[in-house]
Amino acid sequence: MALLERKDMADVNNNINNNSSTGTEVPSNMTIYINNLNEKIKIDELKKALHAVFSQFGKILEILAFKTLKHKGQAWVVFEDVQSASNAMRQMQSFPFYDKPMIVSDLFPSEIYIFQMAGKKKKDQHDTNQVGVGMTPAYGGAYGTTPPLSQIPYLGGVKSMVPEAPAPPNSILFIQNLPNETTTMMLQMLFQQYAGFKEVRMVETKPGIAFVEYGDEMQSTVAMHALQGFKLQQNSMLITYAKK
DNA sequence: AGCACA
């Protein structure tokens, strides 16, 4: 059953690709739609944060978000393949993001949108200037069994190789191997999910590291284990106790 | 609330 639906999805995918006999590259962009996003966040930061949090599911081709009245609080994340989109939708459902649970849904097959993907043209052309078809097949019904939401983004194949903590337990965690673009807010979103969260401190002069403080050592330990190895972009976070 | 180009 589930396998059949998987296969159907693959067929949709292939059809899209096969239909691209027009000479134009027509990627099958598997897009998810997100709303209930915090509208106070600037578009640029929002996109970066979405990328940071969704890239663990697969290659992201594009993230769209606008600040027009009609499109506030919403975003589209275009994945390279449908499996990534599908996983992202299930696993990030209700993920607390800037203090609001994000609502993630698929787009229906009837909603086929044309995008410009690569080689964006200038807007001297009109609505017909677009290249590439973005659509998401109706895989929505394919998972009757949405897994219980662990607020922790799924770690995928990342095995929880929790390194032997060299430092003794500390209510302050030391985070390493962060992408340079990581912001305080991104980390806050991840770490504030765990009880006792107090604050994130980044060291401007030293990119790639941060300190996250909890109320006590037990709380920091829970968060450390939960987020150990969490992938931001390509980087797996390394979390240890801060030195006293 | 608001499903595609600040």
Side-chain angles (χ1 to χ4, degrees):
Chain A
M1 176 62 166
L3 279 178
L4 262 180
E5 280 156 332
R6 283 269 161 72
K7 180 189 171 296
D8 291 345
M9 293 195 299
D11 286 345
V12 172
N13 225 343
N14 287 335
N15 289 339
I16 296 169
N17 288 327
N18 292 339
N19 287 343
S20 65
S21 49
T22 56
T24 319
E25 288 294 311
V26 181
S28 47
N29 310 310
M30 298 314 172
T31 306
I32 53 174
Y33 169 73
I34 305 163
N35 68 348
N36 199 41
L37 294 168
N38 189 325
E39 297 170 21
K40 295 201 276 277
I41 311 307
K42 288 186 290 296
I43 293 296
D44 208 55
E45 181 185 345
L46 182 71
K47 286 189 179 181
K48 279 190 185 142
L50 285 170
H51 194 280
V53 141
F54 275 102
S55 60
Q56 60 176 314
F57 300 103
K59 176 141 193 244
I60 292 173
L61 299 181
E62 189 167 23
I63 297 181
L64 301 168
F66 317 100
K67 61 182 182 199
T68 47
L69 342 314
K70 198 176 171 198
H71 303 298
K72 279 164 89 129
Q74 300 157 75
W76 288 258
V77 177
V78 186
F79 284 95
E80 187 171 59
D81 59 88
V82 67
Q83 204 55 57
S84 305
S86 162
N87 289 339
M89 185 175 106
R90 292 201 324 281
Q91 289 155 24
M92 295 303 284
Q93 198 56 258
S94 305
F95 181 77
F97 195 67
Y98 292 106
D99 297 324
K100 299 181 69 175
M102 57 167 68
I103 296 170
V104 188
S105 57
D106 54 349
L107 296 176
F108 298 107
S110 57
E111 302 179 72
I112 299 178
Y113 289 98
I114 314 274
F115 296 118
Q116 305 175 211
M117 292 307 301
K120 284 187 185 286
K121 295 170 193 153
K122 288 290 162 57
K123 38 183 134 174
D124 51 74
Q125 309 180 48
H126 340 283
D127 296 328
T128 52
N129 66 354
Q130 296 126 333
V131 190
V133 171
M135 78 172 273
T136 305
Y139 52 78
Y143 18 82
T145 58
T146 298
L149 171 68
S150 65
Q151 300 292 41
I152 312 155
Y154 180 62
L155 291 182
V158 179
K159 48 188 215 272
S160 44
M161 34 162 266
V162 180
E164 203 61 26
N170 189 329
S171 60
I172 302 173
L173 299 175
F174 178 50
I175 322 298
Q176 299 172 77
N177 198 36
L178 295 167
N180 290 342
E181 309 77 42
T182 309
T183 64
T184 303
M185 275 308 304
M186 289 179 200
L187 293 179
Q188 188 178 319
M189 290 183 304
L190 291 172
F191 286 90
Q192 74 188 354
Q193 307 174 83
Y194 303 97
F197 172 83
K198 283 188 163 169
E199 68 165 347
V200 171
R201 292 188 292 273
M202 296 199 68
V203 187
E204 293 77 5
T205 57
K206 288 193 153 242
I209 68 166
F211 295 91
V212 180
E213 182 163 2
Y214 284 84
D216 63 41
E217 295 167 2
M218 301 207 349
Q219 293 168 330
S220 65
T221 301
V222 169
M224 175 169 85
H225 288 127
L227 291 172
Q228 190 64 262
F230 185 86
K231 266 197 184 173
L232 280 176
Q233 277 132 238
Q234 315 304 345
N235 302 20
S236 290
M237 286 190 193
L238 174 61
I239 311 177
T240 55
Y241 295 115
K243 292 191 191 123
K244 304 230 183 188

